[in-house]
Amino acid sequence: MSSSTSNFFAATLAAAVALVVSSQAGAQSAPLSAQESDPNVMGWMQGFPPPADKIITQPDSVYFSFPRLRWSVCHLREFLPTEEISRGLSAPVPLTYPSASEFAELRAEIDAVTFMPQNSDAEMTWEQSLYANYTDGMLILHKGEVVYERYFGCLEEDGKHAIMSMTKSFTGLMAEIMVVEGLLDDTALVRDIIPEIGDSAFATATVRQVMDMTTGVQYSEDYSDPNADIWLYSNAASPLPKPEGYVGPNGYWEYLQQVMPEGNHGDAFHYKTINSDMLGWIISRVSGQSVTDVVSDRLWRRMGVEQDAYQTVDAKGVPFAGGGITAGLRDLGRLGQLMLNEGELNGQRLFPTEVVAKISAGGDRSKFGDGFPTFGAGSYTSQWWVLHNAHGAYAARGVHGQTIYVDPTAEMVLVRLSSFPKAQIGFIDPTSLPAYQAVAEHLMATRP
Amino acid sequence: MSSSTSNFFAATLAAAVALVVSSQAGAQSAPLSAQESDPNVMGWMQGFPPPADKIITQPDSVYFSFPRLRWSVCHLREFLPTEEISRGLSAPVPLTYPSASEFAELRAEIDAVTFMPQNSDAEMTWEQSLYANYTDGMLILHKGEVVYERYFGCLEEDGKHAIMSMTKSFTGLMAEIMVVEGLLDDTALVRDIIPEIGDSAFATATVRQVMDMTTGVQYSEDYSDPNADIWLYSNAASPLPKPEGYVGPNGYWEYLQQVMPEGNHGDAFHYKTINSDMLGWIISRVSGQSVTDVVSDRLWRRMGVEQDAYQTVDAKGVPFAGGGITAGLRDLGRLGQLMLNEGELNGQRLFPTEVVAKISAGGDRSKFGDGFPTFGAGSYTSQWWVLHNAHGAYAARGVHGQTIYVDPTAEMVLVRLSSFPKAQIGFIDPTSLPAYQAVAEHLMATRP
């Protein structure tokens, strides 16, 4: 395992650079399969106490390395300080299900759907793709009704799962709502909103450039260099007391104050998590609330969710706006449905239609570059990934394969929670994106 | 401040020894009043970021020292790893309230109730006692109906508060349920249930002695001695990575394996938190579940609670059975009502009546000793405090003044969450216990 996948912070902070799978896969020994690495099969944390070799404990180089991470993605709060994203005190609004017999039939049909993975000439079934991608939970809503729901590994219907970089899409959605409502000026410079950003490269970026990750900021990810930015950020982010003699920044926001420039703002999309944390700071400064409270007030208390969510924090209590959220599968489905409905859920309008219209329209494709070949010629805007495919699909994406995938043409919302061994989404897309498209087409054909 | 009040673990682990208030109070400078130390007045953690002198951060000698602790008691999960006590996914069952006008009238009446504090010749009103005790939340149920509910300081109706040693009563209740249901033999020796307890002094104690804290185990609390057991336990308990060169026990259970004897098992009540963690281990070994899951399955998923609760854990994920729970005020009221109803709530029986009968009958008063003069000639059984007063009252109690107080004669349940500056319950009882009795008598007289 490279160190990139054995540290919770670094894994989320990483660019998840897509690699050409064919040239890389052969060079590495195959990890345990999804079935072999199932936490229940591995026996992690079973017994009181568990056997010494089955205890998962600090530091994150242990608890967040494969195969242990397959247990830890459902238990992040047991390792890290966290802040609640409260659902409030009201009753959940249940999701809509077909009859039990129809539901079973739908599942069998969907499991049998076939598709052709990228760079492959061997057909795969939907069900095979779940295991290929180390799926922990899969939920599909079609026309507002649950048509598929399965749990694997560490996840159960009343459990929660780390969504990692999908967190960025929460942060971006909050910012876009504030922009559309006139609370946040996306043409403003960061330094005009946060003067103490000082000489940081972020100072002269616009809010929109931060939202779309087109800032020109230096952020190196050379894991072999102990002074690479990713390690400095990871150290700054850790909520644990700093080691004796530590002189670096303490917390996300101190880190952001010392970011160096690289290239020009606005030139190109560069997937760098520090933008999301910069955006979190902007949201908090403008709203006067932590991002956890903003998400609670704007979404979680109004969506009829079943479970509180939570978000990891740094040593100063600042939530990790670029990757810290853990939530339940169905509640993420509710968020996807809210997006599909362009801001309405359970008969209530939560934000203007324009918010989703702007996100789903996508960003400037000419700036997207070729860093994510498995994703295709898409774009990234307001911290959402836009496919620019025939169905107009867009997605929130996490580095171990997590997603909320919204397909407006098929009226389909799909949520996957997963714990793929590598923090490299380029290995995950080839058996994911074609599968989502195939299921969308299947649902359109069979439930017109 | 003594170190006893500036460390979360040590504060809970302390015996909360009652001191003769009159001889001690004068020797210390008065702390900030409840109003002066209100976290909203102090301005803790306000702003993004807060001013440097208003940030509350690690370690616990900072975040859990007065007046900061008045903020931190509502935010423990933001400093420590925790495990959820899940309420499940169903709708909460609302508490019963009188009409708004009647509710306002009841509050005014109760606020004006007067009583005579212990060791005092100056009458105090109920409302004054709330401030005298740094109350953060007060809920009173009479005949199953909420007659009084107020929030102060860091707490709001949808917030949660550390209950510290009230956690012991959760642990004790779970054990008593298992005893009554025949799952746990309280005459068994600890070593017969947990062979790896080895040569620990606990080995030869009975489960009942552990439940009633009449074990003969050494546990020194000399705060000036860095090798005192309370510091060793506190270090073992910390979920943070151990310092370089650390050679002591890691986690609650390793600590328990090396406890030395002191006196004889069964001779006398000694309030020592290590008994509660020993009991937690016994519960988990016998049930095959963590104490969080036991409480979730037996109580939290079945009581119609509004909020998940949570419990701090050690570095191996073992919940702190002696002090780690944080919960909402109303949900603690539901637990009190469940006790008053002898195991029934919302028309459902959750455990046999015998459970409450055994707890409310109390333990062996001859063993109680004189360590808690402000509590009176009571007893401690199954980790509950029994007053043996005319009303047959019994209570769960936390070291900063938290309580669930059940008065069967008055059909009253009272829950207080609070953050008294000192971790010394002997300062808190004199303006608490007489106040509870006065309100009970008031309710009996006015709502017969």
Side-chain angles (χ1 to χ4, degrees):
Chain A
M1 296 304 300
S2 79
S3 54
S4 66
T5 56
S6 62
N7 175 303
F8 167 69
F9 296 103
T12 313
L13 296 168
V17 175
L19 301 173
V20 181
V21 177
S22 55
S23 71
Q24 294 278 329
Q28 308 196 4
S29 65
L32 294 176
S33 71
Q35 291 92 333
E36 290 164 342
S37 64
D38 183 311
N40 305 304
V41 172
M42 300 294 292
W44 302 124
M45 297 298 270
Q46 294 177 7
F48 300 93
D53 63 341
K54 298 297 185 186
I55 291 182
I56 299 182
T57 185
Q58 301 277 2
D60 64 354
S61 58
V62 173
Y63 72 73
F64 221 69
S65 67
F66 181 84
R68 288 179 185 81
L69 79 83
R70 298 211 66 203
W71 186 87
S72 301
V73 287
C74 294
H75 298 269
L76 217 47
R77 71 178 290 168
E78 296 163 35
F79 299 106
L80 290 167
T82 55
E83 216 171 279
E84 184 172 274
I85 299 174
S86 173
R87 57 176 299 284
L89 304 177
S90 57
V93 179
L95 294 177
T96 307
Y97 285 82
S99 70
S101 60
E102 194 189 339
F103 193 52
E105 206 172 298
L106 283 163
R107 170 176 156 179
E109 283 174 22
I110 292 173
D111 276 340
V113 166
T114 58
F115 66 96
M116 198 66 80
Q118 293 174 15
N119 312 310
S120 167
D121 50 12
E123 219 173 46
M124 185 180 264
T125 66
W126 171 261
E127 188 170 35
Q128 286 169 336
S129 81
L130 300 181
Y131 293 104
N133 290 307
Y134 296 75
T135 300
D136 297 320
M138 175 63 78
L139 178 76
I140 306 177
L141 292 149
H142 185 233
K143 299 183 175 182
E145 191 175 42
V146 179
V147 294
Y148 191 90
E149 181 176 356
R150 289 182 71 179
Y151 298 91
F152 304 84
C154 64
L155 195 61
E156 298 179 353
E157 65 170 6
D158 58 355
K160 301 171 194 171
H161 195 290
I163 67 171
M164 304 188 72
S165 289
M166 286 168 62
T167 303
K168 297 175 170 72
S169 303
F170 278 72
T171 306
L173 176 59
M174 294 304 99
E176 194 62 83
I177 291 172
M178 291 169 69
V179 169
V180 169
E181 292 186 346
L183 305 171
L184 175 63
D185 176 4
D186 64 356
T187 68
L189 299 184
V190 172
R191 70 179 174 205
D192 293 335
I193 296 171
I194 301 180
E196 65 267 45
I197 199 67
D199 294 329
S200 164
F202 277 113
T204 53
T206 66
V207 171
R208 174 54 59 186
Q209 286 160 348
V210 174
M211 289 172 72
D212 292 355
M213 291 209 194
T214 59
T215 53
V217 294
Q218 184 183 302
Y219 184 70
S220 60
E221 294 189 19
D222 177 358
Y223 298 111
S224 63
D225 173 7
N227 292 316
D229 293 310
I230 193 163
W231 296 122
L232 298 179
Y233 203 35
S234 181
N235 291 337
S238 169
L240 304 180
K242 302 300 177 211
E244 190 128 3
Y246 178 82
V247 292
N250 183 359
Y252 297 105
W253 296 349
E254 278 189 26
Y255 181 92
L256 296 173
Q257 289 176 300
Q258 50 89 69
V259 170
M260 304 295 289
E262 185 178 282
N264 299 315
H265 296 316
D267 276 2
F269 165 61
H270 302 289
Y271 186 77
K272 294 178 178 178
T273 294
I274 51 177
N275 287 287
S276 311
D277 287 300
M278 188 71 248
L279 189 58
W281 194 357
I282 291 168
I283 290 170
S284 286
R285 177 60 57 86
V286 172
S287 69
Q289 291 187 299
S290 69
V291 289
T292 48
D293 282 344
V294 176
V295 169
S296 173
D297 285 357
R298 298 302 309 235
L299 299 180
W300 238 237
R301 289 172 185 268
R302 303 167 70 193
M303 278 169 46
V305 300
E306 298 171 343
Q307 298 191 72
D308 297 321
Y310 64 79
Q311 197 155 359
T312 63
V313 293
D314 68 20
K316 294 176 170 177
V318 174
F320 182 15
I325 293 181
T326 285
L329 183 69
R330 288 188 196 139
D331 291 337
L332 296 166
R334 289 175 166 92
L335 178 59
Q337 192 64 42
L338 173 66
M339 296 297 289
L340 182 68
N341 298 352
E342 298 180 346
E344 261 190 29
L345 197 66
N346 308 323
Q348 276 204 307
R349 174 151 295 283
L350 304 196
F351 50 77
T353 55
E354 192 187 346
V355 172
V356 174
K358 287 176 71 178
I359 291 172
S360 60
D364 187 339
R365 298 175 74 181
S366 71
K367 294 179 180 169
F368 192 64
D370 54 7
F372 294 87
T374 58
F375 187 71
S379 71
Y380 190 81
T381 191
S382 307
Q383 316 265 312
W384 288 75
W385 299 84
V386 182
L387 281 86
H388 296 276
N389 66 4
H391 283 201
Y394 55 96
R397 286 153 60 87
V399 76
H400 284 282
Q402 304 96 323
T403 201
I404 298 175
Y405 182 93
V406 182
D407 181 331
T409 302
E411 299 174 78
M412 179 187 83
V413 170
L414 180 153
V415 182
R416 180 175 67 197
L417 295 169
S418 53
S419 45
F420 194 82
K422 299 186 209 318
Q424 288 171 329
I425 211 160
F427 287 98
I428 306 169
D429 280 339
T431 50
S432 301
L433 298 177
Y436 302 164
Q437 179 67 21
V439 165
E441 288 169 8
H442 169 78
L443 291 171
M444 287 173 74
T446 55
R447 293 168 49 97
Chain B
M1 297 305 300
S2 79
S3 55
S4 66
T5 56
S6 61
N7 177 301
F8 166 70
F9 296 103
T12 313
L13 296 168
V17 175
L19 302 173
V20 181
V21 177
S22 56
S23 69
Q24 295 278 329
Q28 308 197 0
S29 65
L32 295 175
S33 71
Q35 292 91 335
E36 291 164 341
S37 64
D38 183 313
N40 304 304
V41 173
M42 300 295 293
W44 302 124
M45 297 297 271
Q46 295 175 7
F48 299 92
D53 63 341
K54 298 298 186 186
I55 291 182
I56 299 183
T57 186
Q58 302 277 1
D60 66 352
S61 58
V62 172
Y63 74 72
F64 222 70
S65 67
F66 179 84
R68 288 179 187 81
L69 80 84
R70 297 212 66 204
W71 186 86
S72 301
V73 286
C74 294
H75 298 269
L76 216 47
R77 70 179 291 168
E78 297 162 35
F79 299 107
L80 290 167
T82 56
E83 216 172 278
E84 183 171 275
I85 299 174
S86 173
R87 57 176 298 283
L89 303 177
S90 56
V93 179
L95 294 177
T96 307
Y97 286 82
S99 71
S101 61
E102 193 189 338
F103 194 52
E105 206 173 295
L106 282 164
R107 171 176 156 178
E109 282 174 23
I110 291 172
D111 277 340
V113 166
T114 59
F115 67 94
M116 197 66 79
Q118 292 175 14
N119 311 310
S120 167
D121 51 11
E123 218 173 49
M124 185 180 263
T125 67
W126 171 261
E127 189 170 35
Q128 288 169 334
S129 80
L130 300 181
Y131 293 103
N133 289 307
Y134 296 76
T135 300
D136 298 319
M138 176 62 80
L139 178 76
I140 307 176
L141 292 149
H142 185 232
K143 298 183 175 181
E145 191 176 43
V146 179
V147 295
Y148 191 92
E149 182 176 356
R150 290 183 69 180
Y151 297 91
F152 305 82
C154 64
L155 195 62
E156 298 178 355
E157 66 171 4
D158 58 355
K160 302 171 195 172
H161 195 290
I163 67 171
M164 302 187 75
S165 289
M166 286 169 62
T167 303
K168 296 176 171 71
S169 302
F170 278 71
T171 306
L173 176 59
M174 292 306 98
E176 193 63 83
I177 291 172
M178 290 169 69
V179 169
V180 169
E181 292 187 346
L183 305 171
L184 174 63
D185 176 5
D186 65 355
T187 67
L189 300 184
V190 172
R191 69 180 175 204
D192 293 335
I193 296 172
I194 301 180
E196 65 268 44
I197 199 67
D199 294 330
S200 164
F202 277 114
T204 53
T206 66
V207 171
R208 175 54 58 186
Q209 287 160 348
V210 174
M211 289 172 72
D212 292 356
M213 291 208 195
T214 58
T215 53
V217 294
Q218 185 182 300
Y219 183 70
S220 60
E221 295 190 16
D222 178 358
Y223 297 111
S224 62
D225 174 6
N227 293 315
D229 294 310
I230 193 163
W231 297 122
L232 298 180
Y233 204 35
S234 179
N235 292 339
S238 169
L240 304 180
K242 302 299 177 212
E244 190 128 1
Y246 178 82
V247 292
N250 183 0
Y252 297 106
W253 296 349
E254 276 190 27
Y255 182 93
L256 296 172
Q257 289 175 301
Q258 50 90 68
V259 169
M260 304 293 290
E262 184 179 280
N264 300 315
H265 295 317
D267 275 3
F269 166 62
H270 303 289
Y271 186 77
K272 295 177 179 177
T273 294
I274 51 177
N275 287 287
S276 311
D277 288 301
M278 188 71 249
L279 189 58
W281 193 358
I282 291 167
I283 289 170
S284 286
R285 176 60 58 86
V286 172
S287 69
Q289 292 187 297
S290 68
V291 289
T292 48
D293 282 344
V294 175
V295 169
S296 174
D297 285 356
R298 300 301 309 233
L299 299 179
W300 238 238
R301 289 172 186 266
R302 302 167 71 191
M303 279 169 45
V305 300
E306 298 170 342
Q307 298 189 72
D308 297 321
Y310 65 79
Q311 196 155 0
T312 62
V313 293
D314 68 19
K316 294 175 171 178
V318 174
F320 183 16
I325 292 181
T326 284
L329 183 69
R330 288 187 195 139
D331 292 336
L332 296 165
R334 289 175 167 92
L335 178 59
Q337 191 65 41
L338 173 66
M339 295 297 290
L340 182 68
N341 297 352
E342 298 179 345
E344 261 189 30
L345 197 66
N346 307 323
Q348 275 205 305
R349 173 150 298 281
L350 304 197
F351 50 77
T353 55
E354 192 187 346
V355 172
V356 174
K358 286 177 72 178
I359 291 172
S360 61
D364 187 340
R365 298 175 75 182
S366 72
K367 294 178 180 170
F368 193 63
D370 54 8
F372 295 87
T374 58
F375 187 73
S379 70
Y380 190 82
T381 191
S382 307
Q383 316 265 312
W384 288 75
W385 299 84
V386 182
L387 281 85
H388 296 275
N389 66 3
H391 283 200
Y394 56 96
R397 286 154 59 86
V399 76
H400 285 282
Q402 304 97 321
T403 201
I404 298 174
Y405 182 94
V406 181
D407 182 331
T409 302
E411 299 173 81
M412 179 186 83
V413 170
L414 179 154
V415 182
R416 179 173 69 194
L417 294 170
S418 53
S419 45
F420 194 82
K422 298 184 210 317
Q424 288 170 329
I425 211 159
F427 288 99
I428 305 169
D429 280 339
T431 51
S432 302
L433 298 177
Y436 302 164
Q437 179 67 22
V439 164
E441 289 169 7
H442 168 79
L443 290 171
M444 289 172 73
T446 56
R447 294 167 49 97

